[in-house]
Amino acid sequence: IEVDDPFDERISKYLADNNYDVENDLTDASKTKYFFRILLLGLVVIGFIICSLSVYILMLSIFILLQKLTEHIDSLLLIGYSMRSVSMPYCLISTILNVISLILSFVLVGILRNHYFEIFTSLYELDESSMAVSIICGVILCVMIFIINTIVISRKVKSIWMIHKKV
């Protein structure tokens, strides 16, 4: 039997109702579906690795910036600025960079998604879906990165201040 849409559930139901057997366990449609699942898993793993490395590089650059400005931070702490007011500009810079990259990624994902969605809808019957999951995940990750950066910056400023407490 040749069909136009191998993913149609009516075909599976018809075959089951009439006790027809499929020639092999993995039909062309299921092979394609399996291939796309493997491809998606590979993309998710690669994306996770890239995101993890970018967060690490961001943390490293913030730490290097704080290390470079240790004398200035030390001077500000010695003349009476609080640790919070000294660390606030660095947290603000980190937050602004994260939000800008998040917005740019949403724009890029939207453009690319519209492009490939048109291609897939011409090949298969797909329902229109939203970017809500991508937006929610992006915002959650951005908040987590903000919290981690704030903790790292506060600890570094505190460690600079503790040098004088020990003396």
Side-chain angles (χ1 to χ4, degrees):
I1 298 175
E2 289 187 29
V3 293
D4 293 331
D5 184 15
F7 293 111
D8 193 355
E9 292 181 17
R10 294 178 296 173
I11 296 170
S12 310
K13 185 178 178 186
Y14 177 79
L15 292 174
D17 290 344
N18 294 314
N19 293 325
Y20 288 126
D21 290 330
V22 180
E23 186 174 308
N24 56 11
D25 290 336
L26 290 175
T27 61
D28 290 336
S30 61
K31 285 181 184 178
T32 306
K33 193 174 182 181
Y34 178 75
F35 173 73
F36 279 132
R37 283 187 179 168
I38 296 294
L39 185 66
L40 181 65
L41 179 66
L43 288 173
V44 167
V45 168
I46 291 170
F48 181 75
I49 291 170
I50 290 172
C51 288
S52 299
L53 290 174
S54 66
V55 168
Y56 179 75
I57 289 172
L58 177 66
M59 299 276 294
L60 186 62
S61 64
I62 290 171
F63 188 77
I64 290 171
L65 178 67
L66 290 172
Q67 191 67 32
K68 180 180 175 184
L69 298 173
T70 299
E71 290 180 22
H72 297 289
I73 293 171
D74 189 34
S75 298
L76 289 172
L77 291 170
L78 286 174
I79 61 174
Y81 284 93
S82 68
M83 284 188 278
R84 184 176 191 167
S85 62
V86 171
S87 63
M88 186 61 68
Y90 301 107
C91 292
L92 189 64
I93 289 171
S94 169
T95 304
I96 290 171
L97 290 175
N98 283 330
V99 169
I100 289 172
S101 67
L102 183 66
I103 291 170
L104 288 175
S105 68
F106 286 154
V107 169
L108 187 63
V109 165
I111 292 169
L112 292 175
R113 187 176 175 277
N114 287 336
H115 178 69
Y116 78 76
F117 205 76
E118 289 175 7
I119 294 171
F120 281 138
T121 53
S122 67
L123 296 174
Y124 307 106
E125 288 184 27
L126 297 174
D127 296 332
E128 185 70 29
S129 62
S130 68
M131 283 184 42
V133 174
S134 299
I135 292 172
I136 290 170
C137 289
V139 169
I140 289 171
L141 287 173
C142 193
V143 169
M144 287 174 43
I145 291 171
F146 167 74
I147 291 170
I148 292 170
N149 286 339
T150 303
I151 291 170
V152 167
I153 291 169
S154 299
R155 284 186 179 179
K156 181 62 180 170
V157 170
K158 187 176 182 179
S159 72
I160 293 170
W161 178 244
M162 294 309 271
I163 291 172
H164 294 290
K165 293 278 189 179
K166 291 180 182 177
V167 175

